[in-house]
Amino acid sequence: MSHRPRIPAPGRRTVLRGSLLASAAAVVPPALTTAPAFALSGRPSASWGVQVGDVTSSSALVWVRSDRPARMVVETSATESFRRARRWHGPLIGALTDFTGTTPLYGLPAGEQVHYRVVLEDPHDPRRTGRPVHGTFRTAPATRRDGVRFLWSGDIAGQGWGINPDIGGYRVYDEMRRLDPDFFLCSGDNIYADGVLEPSVTLPDGRIWRNLTTPEKSKVAETLDEYRGNFRYNLLDDNVRAFNAQVPSIVQWDDHEVRNNWYPGQILDDARYTEKNVDLLAARSMRAFREYFPVPTLQGSPEDRRLHRVVRHGPLLDVFVLDMRSFRDANSPNRRPEDTTGILGAEQLRWLKRELSQSRAVWKVIAADMPLGLVVPDGATDFEAIAQGDPGAPLGRELQIAELLRHIKHQRITGTLWLTADVHYTSAQHYAPERAAFKDFAPFWEFVSGPLAAGGFPANALDGTFGPERVFVRAPDRANVSPMEQPQFFGEVDIDGGSGELTVRLRAQGGTVLFTKVLRPGRTGQ
């Protein structure tokens, strides 16, 4: 464990004050899920809670959603009493952003607990304000001795399993919150825009799963408002809002933010969709994604907005957040002898190589929204991820990964490890050149964890091109096992401030640690 003394989690009353909706019912009243009306009495309300994203040693981005037009104001303090509070004037929130807004915070003290509250002001009368919504987070440390600890997972509300009030909703979020991590890395599939939720589902053992339902979750998302409704859906859960108020996030996207296995330029052959142009659907989804998550790199001009980025979390850790969806080539048999587009696109690959070379962090986490050596098919002949089951020399999308791994070895970049979700089980793979067809790389680890609130699936086959060995796996033996039938999975990474050692724990909901691996800094071949 880290040598840094853990700062006690704030009291539940403080974190949740003014932020929680009423307990979820089986069907959500339309007033809680539709766009706010303009002719509302009273004061602005922020009952959807607060979020903080991409926290560094000196900065953060605070998010809120209002129920009407309002001015966003953020106050920060070193104490819960908010004595000597610092005030940040945010944007005017309106219909253009679905009444969501973000405010950047700069000049924060490193390695400290920051208490904040968001106040919404009536734009016509600043004296009329809503009840403050409270949250807290820790800034990244300035020195190694403090250590870093974070969680990761993905895959939320998928395969027909949504918020079930009978089991307390997404209880795994409450479990993760109680671990009090420095941040949470969501590895994609934050929503299932193509996943319809039925009011009830009969399980194989005869039990009934009940879903909280909304109009936007009753069909596949196509319009901007339907995508917005999908992102709002998870915020109906008490556990998610409490988690967001205490744990900052680093968020990436994958396919289900738009629809299953999508790629740029795709034209759908799916009777559920009246809009067949995936590029148009993706643009609508990205706009809603940008509105509902605090991601700093999405706040600038349209031509500068991108999801891939580096989040620097003190001297021990850089997180390289990839976008393996927006720049990929079309899904195919994936056996081309030349492929410059691959899964990252040429520009993103150059960016990643450059940033890895320049990083001075002890550990360099590559946050991938898809696994490397796991075979993920798309239909009978095509493939969705990087591997295609051919254990020989790199082909298709594997060529980009080979180029990256060669770069890491030849530039003597140490401390890399890959984290992902996507496949709906948890596992640990070690990659080594002596087992591989492609041998010009240094050994490394890849850890998989998920889902958080979706169906579980059997383990995928391995592709031998980069020599993966499955050291650990926990997966169901049949497809789409509900969260009532097996625990959900998430991972924990703990970097010790004294030794620099990095410990990975693969966890199951309920407090069980399934697998632990300790990695030493500055070494290869672990």
Side-chain angles (χ1 to χ4, degrees):
M1 296 292 288
S2 170
H3 288 172
R4 174 159 59 134
R6 307 309 299 175
I7 301 172
R12 181 176 176 85
R13 178 177 60 85
T14 300
V15 170
L16 303 186
R17 188 185 305 141
S19 70
L20 297 186
L21 296 175
S23 299
V27 179
V28 181
L32 291 181
T33 61
T34 56
F38 289 101
L40 294 175
S41 60
R43 301 170 183 267
S45 173
S47 54
W48 298 89
V50 287
Q51 300 179 61
V52 171
D54 285 30
V55 171
T56 70
S57 59
S58 62
S59 65
L61 189 66
V62 178
W63 174 98
V64 76
R65 183 175 192 256
S66 178
D67 68 340
R68 71 197 71 196
R71 172 72 65 182
M72 179 181 181
V73 177
V74 181
E75 294 180 334
T76 63
S77 175
T79 65
E80 292 183 88
S81 67
F82 281 87
R83 293 184 61 187
R84 300 178 181 176
R86 187 176 177 183
R87 193 171 177 88
W88 310 77
H89 293 277
L92 181 64
I93 296 172
L96 187 63
T97 60
D98 201 31
F99 302 90
T100 66
T102 58
T103 298
L105 310 181
Y106 297 106
L108 302 174
E112 297 292 339
Q113 194 82 14
V114 176
H115 299 272
Y116 71 95
R117 59 191 178 193
V118 178
V119 177
L120 296 177
E121 297 178 347
D122 187 314
H124 303 294
D125 183 358
R127 296 170 299 177
R128 293 176 58 81
T129 62
R131 180 179 300 176
V133 186
H134 290 246
T136 186
F137 61 92
R138 280 188 295 274
T139 51
T143 63
R144 282 186 49 158
R145 62 181 175 82
D146 290 331
V148 178
R149 187 162 56 87
F150 69 93
L151 308 178
W152 94 92
S153 189
D155 314 315
I156 305 154
Q159 290 74 50
W161 316 114
I163 300 170
N164 184 342
D166 294 342
I167 62 172
Y170 299 155
R171 291 178 301 164
V172 67
Y173 276 88
D174 182 66
E175 184 173 323
M176 293 194 299
R177 181 184 65 82
R178 292 177 186 277
L179 290 173
D180 193 29
D182 292 306
F183 64 89
F184 172 64
L185 167 64
C186 189
S187 302
D189 290 343
N190 297 268
I191 63 169
Y192 281 73
D194 56 337
V196 173
L197 294 180
E198 301 294 341
S200 63
V201 181
T202 302
L203 303 182
D205 61 7
R207 288 182 295 170
I208 302 298
W209 174 282
R210 287 201 309 131
N211 281 316
L212 183 153
T213 61
T214 67
E216 295 88 353
K217 291 302 298 177
S218 300
K219 68 177 292 292
V220 296
E222 299 179 82
T223 68
L224 174 59
D225 283 342
E226 287 167 352
Y227 279 108
R228 286 167 165 169
N230 272 258
F231 285 109
R232 277 197 303 272
Y233 178 80
N234 292 329
L235 297 177
L236 293 170
D237 185 82
D238 293 345
N239 305 294
V240 170
R241 294 194 309 280
F243 181 84
N244 288 345
Q246 182 177 323
V247 182
S249 62
I250 298 175
V251 182
Q252 58 193 136
W253 80 341
D254 193 31
D255 56 336
H256 288 285
E257 280 81 4
V258 179
R259 57 96 61 190
N260 187 45
N261 295 356
W262 77 274
Y263 51 82
Q266 185 180 23
I267 302 299
L268 298 181
D269 181 16
D270 187 333
R272 298 177 302 167
Y273 288 83
T274 57
E275 177 55 66
K276 307 294 186 181
N277 186 334
V278 165
D279 287 351
L280 183 55
L281 296 176
R284 292 167 179 169
S285 175
M286 176 53 74
R287 177 171 172 178
F289 184 101
R290 187 172 71 245
E291 292 167 347
Y292 275 85
F293 290 114
V295 178
T297 53
L298 295 178
Q299 304 304 310
S301 60
E303 60 271 17
D304 294 330
R305 291 171 186 163
R306 55 181 174 81
L307 273 173
H308 60 279
R309 62 201 188 275
V310 185
V311 181
R312 306 194 188 281
H313 205 85
L316 284 172
L317 175 66
D318 281 348
V319 181
F320 298 82
V321 184
L322 303 188
D323 179 358
M324 304 174 88
R325 188 58 55 179
S326 301
F327 308 105
R328 60 165 53 203
D329 52 19
N331 289 356
S332 71
N334 199 21
R335 286 177 166 82
R336 292 177 296 276
E338 295 182 1
D339 189 347
T340 58
T341 301
I343 200 162
L344 297 174
E347 185 281 327
Q348 186 178 186
L349 178 59
R350 288 193 296 269
W351 164 86
L352 180 57
K353 291 163 64 177
R354 181 179 67 250
E355 293 292 341
L356 282 168
S357 296
Q358 295 174 354
S359 174
R360 296 296 175 262
V362 176
W363 293 100
K364 303 159 189 73
V365 166
I366 302 176
D369 43 292
M370 300 217 72
L372 294 185
L374 279 59
V375 180
V376 184
D378 180 16
T381 61
D382 295 343
F383 292 90
E384 158 73 350
I386 296 160
Q388 78 293 80
D390 181 343
L395 294 170
R397 292 169 178 163
E398 293 172 335
L399 292 164
Q400 277 198 332
I401 303 304
E403 181 180 344
L404 175 62
L405 295 179
R406 182 188 296 114
H407 174 83
I408 290 172
K409 174 188 174 182
H410 288 222
Q411 293 295 310
R412 299 181 180 180
I413 299 169
T414 60
T416 61
L417 72 154
W418 295 68
L419 302 182
T420 190
D422 184 70
V423 289
H424 296 234
Y425 61 86
T426 188
S427 67
Q429 286 80 234
H430 182 251
Y431 292 76
E434 62 268 20
R435 296 188 297 265
F438 174 79
K439 298 183 180 297
D440 194 10
F441 71 97
F444 65 95
W445 283 87
E446 173 188 48
F447 298 96
V448 179
S449 193
L452 277 183
F457 284 79
N460 296 58
L462 293 182
D463 182 310
T465 297
F466 301 115
E469 177 187 17
R470 189 144 42 204
V471 178
F472 172 82
V473 63
R474 179 67 58 86
D477 58 5
R478 60 181 174 84
N480 200 15
V481 175
S482 78
M484 281 179 67
E485 299 170 89
Q486 76 157 29
Q488 305 293 272
F489 300 124
F490 62 95
E492 177 184 32
V493 175
D494 190 346
I495 307 175
D496 183 80
S499 66
E501 288 185 343
L502 182 148
T503 301
V504 178
R505 301 181 184 91
L506 300 180
R507 290 180 170 272
Q509 182 180 358
T512 304
V513 176
L514 302 172
F515 175 81
T516 300
K517 180 64 184 179
V518 179
L519 304 178
R520 296 183 179 180
R523 296 190 179 187
T524 60
Q526 302 186 74

Short mmCIF file of all heavy atoms in Angstrom, two decimals, residues 122-163:
data_model
loop_
_atom_site.label_atom_id
_atom_site.label_comp_id
_atom_site.label_asym_id
_atom_site.label_seq_id
_atom_site.Cartn_x
_atom_site.Cartn_y
_atom_site.Cartn_z
N ASP A 122 -29.82 32.36 -10.56
CA ASP A 122 -30.78 32.83 -11.54
C ASP A 122 -30.08 33.89 -12.41
O ASP A 122 -29.54 34.86 -11.88
CB ASP A 122 -31.99 33.44 -10.83
CG ASP A 122 -33.12 33.82 -11.79
OD1 ASP A 122 -32.83 34.43 -12.85
OD2 ASP A 122 -34.28 33.51 -11.49
N PRO A 123 -30.05 33.72 -13.74
CA PRO A 123 -29.31 34.68 -14.58
C PRO A 123 -29.89 36.08 -14.55
O PRO A 123 -29.20 37.05 -14.89
CB PRO A 123 -29.41 34.07 -15.98
CG PRO A 123 -30.60 33.16 -15.94
CD PRO A 123 -30.66 32.63 -14.54
N HIS A 124 -31.15 36.22 -14.15
CA HIS A 124 -31.78 37.54 -14.10
C HIS A 124 -31.71 38.16 -12.70
O HIS A 124 -31.94 39.37 -12.56
CB HIS A 124 -33.25 37.43 -14.53
CG HIS A 124 -33.42 36.83 -15.89
ND1 HIS A 124 -32.99 37.43 -17.04
CD2 HIS A 124 -33.95 35.63 -16.27
CE1 HIS A 124 -33.25 36.66 -18.09
NE2 HIS A 124 -33.84 35.56 -17.64
N ASP A 125 -31.38 37.36 -11.71
CA ASP A 125 -31.30 37.86 -10.34
C ASP A 125 -30.30 37.00 -9.56
O ASP A 125 -30.67 35.95 -9.02
CB ASP A 125 -32.67 37.81 -9.66
CG ASP A 125 -32.65 38.41 -8.26
OD1 ASP A 125 -31.57 38.82 -7.80
OD2 ASP A 125 -33.72 38.41 -7.61
N PRO A 126 -29.01 37.39 -9.51
CA PRO A 126 -27.99 36.58 -8.85
C PRO A 126 -28.27 36.31 -7.38
O PRO A 126 -27.66 35.39 -6.79
CB PRO A 126 -26.72 37.43 -9.03
CG PRO A 126 -27.00 38.30 -10.19
CD PRO A 126 -28.47 38.59 -10.14
N ARG A 127 -29.18 37.05 -6.78
CA ARG A 127 -29.52 36.79 -5.38
C ARG A 127 -30.36 35.54 -5.22
O ARG A 127 -30.43 34.98 -4.12
CB ARG A 127 -30.26 38.00 -4.79
CG ARG A 127 -29.43 39.28 -4.74
CD ARG A 127 -30.30 40.47 -4.38
NE ARG A 127 -31.35 40.69 -5.37
CZ ARG A 127 -32.29 41.62 -5.28
NH1 ARG A 127 -32.30 42.45 -4.23
NH2 ARG A 127 -33.21 41.76 -6.22
N ARG A 128 -30.99 35.12 -6.30
CA ARG A 128 -31.81 33.90 -6.26
C ARG A 128 -30.92 32.72 -6.64
O ARG A 128 -30.57 32.55 -7.82
CB ARG A 128 -33.00 34.02 -7.21
CG ARG A 128 -34.02 35.06 -6.79
CD ARG A 128 -35.13 35.18 -7.83
NE ARG A 128 -35.81 33.89 -8.06
CZ ARG A 128 -36.77 33.39 -7.28
NH1 ARG A 128 -37.16 34.06 -6.20
NH2 ARG A 128 -37.35 32.24 -7.57
N THR A 129 -30.53 31.95 -5.68
CA THR A 129 -29.62 30.83 -5.92
C THR A 129 -30.24 29.52 -5.44
O THR A 129 -31.06 29.51 -4.51
CB THR A 129 -28.28 31.04 -5.20
OG1 THR A 129 -28.52 31.11 -3.78
CG2 THR A 129 -27.60 32.30 -5.68
N GLY A 130 -29.83 28.43 -6.07
CA GLY A 130 -30.27 27.12 -5.63
C GLY A 130 -29.45 26.61 -4.46
O GLY A 130 -28.45 27.22 -4.06
N ARG A 131 -29.88 25.50 -3.92
CA ARG A 131 -29.15 24.90 -2.82
C ARG A 131 -27.78 24.43 -3.31
O ARG A 131 -27.69 23.77 -4.35
CB ARG A 131 -29.93 23.72 -2.26
CG ARG A 131 -29.25 23.01 -1.10
CD ARG A 131 -30.09 21.87 -0.59
NE ARG A 131 -31.39 22.35 -0.10
CZ ARG A 131 -32.35 21.55 0.33
NH1 ARG A 131 -32.17 20.23 0.30
NH2 ARG A 131 -33.48 22.05 0.77
N PRO A 132 -26.69 24.72 -2.61
CA PRO A 132 -25.36 24.30 -3.06
C PRO A 132 -25.25 22.77 -3.13
O PRO A 132 -25.84 22.05 -2.32
CB PRO A 132 -24.42 24.85 -1.98
CG PRO A 132 -25.19 25.96 -1.32
CD PRO A 132 -26.63 25.54 -1.38
N VAL A 133 -24.52 22.30 -4.12
CA VAL A 133 -24.24 20.87 -4.28
C VAL A 133 -22.76 20.66 -3.98
O VAL A 133 -21.90 21.30 -4.59
CB VAL A 133 -24.57 20.40 -5.70
CG1 VAL A 133 -24.42 18.88 -5.81
CG2 VAL A 133 -25.98 20.81 -6.09
N HIS A 134 -22.47 19.75 -3.05
CA HIS A 134 -21.12 19.62 -2.51
C HIS A 134 -20.38 18.42 -3.10
O HIS A 134 -20.98 17.40 -3.44
CB HIS A 134 -21.17 19.44 -0.99
CG HIS A 134 -21.61 20.67 -0.26
ND1 HIS A 134 -20.78 21.36 0.60
CD2 HIS A 134 -22.79 21.36 -0.26
CE1 HIS A 134 -21.42 22.41 1.10
NE2 HIS A 134 -22.66 22.41 0.59
N GLY A 135 -19.06 18.56 -3.18
CA GLY A 135 -18.20 17.48 -3.58
C GLY A 135 -16.81 17.68 -3.01
O GLY A 135 -16.52 18.71 -2.37
N THR A 136 -15.93 16.72 -3.25
CA THR A 136 -14.56 16.81 -2.78
C THR A 136 -13.67 15.96 -3.66
O THR A 136 -14.14 15.02 -4.31
CB THR A 136 -14.45 16.37 -1.30
OG1 THR A 136 -13.12 16.61 -0.83
CG2 THR A 136 -14.77 14.90 -1.13
N PHE A 137 -12.39 16.30 -3.73
CA PHE A 137 -11.42 15.51 -4.47
C PHE A 137 -10.03 15.83 -3.94
O PHE A 137 -9.83 16.82 -3.23
CB PHE A 137 -11.50 15.79 -5.97
CG PHE A 137 -11.20 17.22 -6.36
CD1 PHE A 137 -9.91 17.62 -6.69
CD2 PHE A 137 -12.21 18.17 -6.42
CE1 PHE A 137 -9.62 18.93 -7.04
CE2 PHE A 137 -11.94 19.48 -6.77
CZ PHE A 137 -10.64 19.86 -7.09
N ARG A 138 -9.07 14.97 -4.28
CA ARG A 138 -7.66 15.21 -3.95
C ARG A 138 -6.91 15.59 -5.21
O ARG A 138 -7.05 14.91 -6.24
CB ARG A 138 -7.01 13.96 -3.35
CG ARG A 138 -7.32 13.73 -1.89
CD ARG A 138 -6.47 12.59 -1.33
NE ARG A 138 -6.81 11.32 -1.95
CZ ARG A 138 -7.80 10.51 -1.54
NH1 ARG A 138 -8.57 10.88 -0.52
NH2 ARG A 138 -8.03 9.37 -2.13
N THR A 139 -6.10 16.61 -5.14
CA THR A 139 -5.24 16.93 -6.26
C THR A 139 -4.07 15.94 -6.29
O THR A 139 -3.74 15.29 -5.30
CB THR A 139 -4.69 18.36 -6.14
OG1 THR A 139 -4.12 18.54 -4.84
CG2 THR A 139 -5.80 19.37 -6.37
N ALA A 140 -3.45 15.83 -7.45
CA ALA A 140 -2.31 14.93 -7.62
C ALA A 140 -1.14 15.42 -6.77
O ALA A 140 -0.97 16.63 -6.56
CB ALA A 140 -1.90 14.87 -9.08
N PRO A 141 -0.31 14.51 -6.27
CA PRO A 141 0.81 14.90 -5.40
C PRO A 141 1.92 15.57 -6.19
O PRO A 141 2.09 15.32 -7.39
CB PRO A 141 1.26 13.58 -4.80
CG PRO A 141 0.88 12.55 -5.82
CD PRO A 141 -0.41 13.05 -6.42
N ALA A 142 2.69 16.39 -5.51
CA ALA A 142 3.85 17.05 -6.13
C ALA A 142 5.12 16.26 -5.94
O ALA A 142 6.10 16.46 -6.66
CB ALA A 142 4.02 18.46 -5.55
N THR A 143 5.13 15.35 -4.97
CA THR A 143 6.32 14.55 -4.68
C THR A 143 5.99 13.07 -4.74
O THR A 143 4.83 12.66 -4.61
CB THR A 143 6.88 14.89 -3.28
OG1 THR A 143 5.91 14.54 -2.29
CG2 THR A 143 7.18 16.38 -3.18
N ARG A 144 7.02 12.25 -4.88
CA ARG A 144 6.83 10.81 -4.98
C ARG A 144 6.32 10.20 -3.69
O ARG A 144 5.59 9.21 -3.70
CB ARG A 144 8.16 10.13 -5.34
CG ARG A 144 8.54 10.22 -6.79
CD ARG A 144 9.79 9.41 -7.07
NE ARG A 144 9.72 8.06 -6.55
CZ ARG A 144 10.45 7.05 -6.98
NH1 ARG A 144 11.30 7.23 -7.96
NH2 ARG A 144 10.35 5.86 -6.45
N ARG A 145 6.69 10.75 -2.56
CA ARG A 145 6.43 10.08 -1.29
C ARG A 145 4.93 9.89 -1.01
O ARG A 145 4.55 9.03 -0.22
CB ARG A 145 7.05 10.86 -0.14
CG ARG A 145 6.51 12.26 0.04
CD ARG A 145 7.18 13.01 1.19
NE ARG A 145 6.73 14.38 1.28
CZ ARG A 145 5.60 14.77 1.86
NH1 ARG A 145 4.81 13.86 2.40
NH2 ARG A 145 5.28 16.05 1.90
N ASP A 146 4.09 10.68 -1.66
CA ASP A 146 2.66 10.60 -1.37
C ASP A 146 1.98 9.37 -1.96
O ASP A 146 0.94 8.94 -1.49
CB ASP A 146 1.95 11.86 -1.86
CG ASP A 146 2.31 13.08 -1.04
OD1 ASP A 146 2.60 12.90 0.16
OD2 ASP A 146 2.31 14.19 -1.58
N GLY A 147 2.52 8.82 -3.06
CA GLY A 147 1.89 7.66 -3.67
C GLY A 147 0.62 8.02 -4.41
O GLY A 147 0.11 9.15 -4.33
N VAL A 148 0.10 7.04 -5.16
CA VAL A 148 -1.12 7.22 -5.95
C VAL A 148 -1.91 5.92 -5.90
O VAL A 148 -1.34 4.83 -5.97
CB VAL A 148 -0.81 7.56 -7.43
CG1 VAL A 148 -2.10 7.69 -8.23
CG2 VAL A 148 0.03 8.83 -7.53
N ARG A 149 -3.23 6.04 -5.81
CA ARG A 149 -4.08 4.84 -5.86
C ARG A 149 -5.34 5.18 -6.66
O ARG A 149 -6.01 6.17 -6.38
CB ARG A 149 -4.45 4.37 -4.46
CG ARG A 149 -5.20 3.04 -4.43
CD ARG A 149 -5.15 2.42 -3.03
NE ARG A 149 -5.66 3.32 -2.04
CZ ARG A 149 -6.95 3.41 -1.71
NH1 ARG A 149 -7.85 2.64 -2.30
NH2 ARG A 149 -7.36 4.26 -0.79
N PHE A 150 -5.65 4.34 -7.65
CA PHE A 150 -6.85 4.58 -8.46
C PHE A 150 -7.50 3.26 -8.83
O PHE A 150 -6.92 2.18 -8.70
CB PHE A 150 -6.50 5.40 -9.71
CG PHE A 150 -5.67 4.69 -10.74
CD1 PHE A 150 -6.27 4.01 -11.80
CD2 PHE A 150 -4.29 4.72 -10.69
CE1 PHE A 150 -5.51 3.36 -12.77
CE2 PHE A 150 -3.51 4.08 -11.65
CZ PHE A 150 -4.12 3.40 -12.69
N LEU A 151 -8.74 3.37 -9.32
CA LEU A 151 -9.53 2.23 -9.77
C LEU A 151 -9.81 2.38 -11.26
O LEU A 151 -9.77 3.47 -11.80
CB LEU A 151 -10.86 2.15 -9.01
CG LEU A 151 -10.81 2.18 -7.49
CD1 LEU A 151 -12.23 2.14 -6.92
CD2 LEU A 151 -9.98 1.05 -6.92
N TRP A 152 -10.09 1.23 -11.90
CA TRP A 152 -10.55 1.31 -13.29
C TRP A 152 -11.54 0.19 -13.58
O TRP A 152 -11.55 -0.86 -12.94
CB TRP A 152 -9.37 1.24 -14.27
CG TRP A 152 -9.04 -0.13 -14.79
CD1 TRP A 152 -9.51 -0.72 -15.94
CD2 TRP A 152 -8.19 -1.11 -14.17
NE1 TRP A 152 -9.00 -1.99 -16.07
CE2 TRP A 152 -8.18 -2.25 -15.00
CE3 TRP A 152 -7.43 -1.14 -12.99
CZ2 TRP A 152 -7.45 -3.40 -14.70
CZ3 TRP A 152 -6.70 -2.27 -12.67
CH2 TRP A 152 -6.72 -3.37 -13.53
N SER A 153 -12.41 0.42 -14.56
CA SER A 153 -13.37 -0.56 -15.05
C SER A 153 -14.11 0.08 -16.21
O SER A 153 -13.67 1.09 -16.76
CB SER A 153 -14.33 -1.02 -13.95
OG SER A 153 -15.11 -2.12 -14.37
N GLY A 154 -15.25 -0.49 -16.61
CA GLY A 154 -16.06 0.06 -17.69
C GLY A 154 -17.33 -0.75 -17.86
O GLY A 154 -17.65 -1.62 -17.05
N ASP A 155 -18.07 -0.47 -18.94
CA ASP A 155 -19.22 -1.27 -19.34
C ASP A 155 -20.38 -1.11 -18.36
O ASP A 155 -20.53 -1.88 -17.41
CB ASP A 155 -18.84 -2.75 -19.46
CG ASP A 155 -17.53 -2.96 -20.21
OD1 ASP A 155 -17.35 -2.32 -21.26
OD2 ASP A 155 -16.69 -3.75 -19.75
N ILE A 156 -21.24 -0.12 -18.62
CA ILE A 156 -22.28 0.28 -17.66
C ILE A 156 -23.65 0.29 -18.34
O ILE A 156 -23.84 0.97 -19.35
CB ILE A 156 -21.95 1.68 -17.09
CG1 ILE A 156 -20.54 1.69 -16.49
CG2 ILE A 156 -22.98 2.10 -16.05
CD1 ILE A 156 -19.90 3.04 -16.48
N ALA A 157 -24.59 -0.45 -17.77
CA ALA A 157 -25.97 -0.55 -18.25
C ALA A 157 -26.05 -1.24 -19.60
O ALA A 157 -26.76 -0.80 -20.50
CB ALA A 157 -26.67 0.80 -18.29
N GLY A 158 -25.34 -2.36 -19.74
CA GLY A 158 -25.32 -3.07 -21.00
C GLY A 158 -26.09 -4.37 -20.99
O GLY A 158 -26.37 -4.95 -19.93
N GLN A 159 -26.42 -4.84 -22.19
CA GLN A 159 -27.07 -6.14 -22.43
C GLN A 159 -28.42 -6.27 -21.75
O GLN A 159 -28.86 -7.37 -21.41
CB GLN A 159 -26.15 -7.30 -22.01
CG GLN A 159 -24.94 -7.50 -22.88
CD GLN A 159 -23.88 -6.44 -22.65
OE1 GLN A 159 -23.51 -6.16 -21.53
NE2 GLN A 159 -23.41 -5.84 -23.73
N GLY A 160 -29.09 -5.15 -21.50
CA GLY A 160 -30.42 -5.19 -20.91
C GLY A 160 -30.46 -5.08 -19.40
O GLY A 160 -31.53 -5.16 -18.81
N TRP A 161 -29.28 -4.89 -18.76
CA TRP A 161 -29.23 -4.81 -17.30
C TRP A 161 -28.97 -3.36 -16.90
O TRP A 161 -27.85 -2.86 -16.99
CB TRP A 161 -28.14 -5.73 -16.75
CG TRP A 161 -28.13 -7.09 -17.39
CD1 TRP A 161 -27.16 -7.62 -18.19
CD2 TRP A 161 -29.14 -8.10 -17.30
NE1 TRP A 161 -27.51 -8.88 -18.60
CE2 TRP A 161 -28.71 -9.21 -18.08
CE3 TRP A 161 -30.37 -8.17 -16.65
CZ2 TRP A 161 -29.47 -10.37 -18.22
CZ3 TRP A 161 -31.14 -9.33 -16.79
CH2 TRP A 161 -30.68 -10.41 -17.56
N GLY A 162 -30.01 -2.69 -16.43
CA GLY A 162 -29.89 -1.30 -16.04
C GLY A 162 -29.92 -1.12 -14.54
O GLY A 162 -29.43 -1.97 -13.78
N ILE A 163 -30.49 -0.02 -14.09
CA ILE A 163 -30.61 0.26 -12.65
C ILE A 163 -31.76 -0.57 -12.09
O ILE A 163 -32.92 -0.37 -12.46
CB ILE A 163 -30.87 1.76 -12.41
CG1 ILE A 163 -29.72 2.60 -12.98
CG2 ILE A 163 -31.04 2.05 -10.92
CD1 ILE A 163 -30.01 4.09 -13.01
#
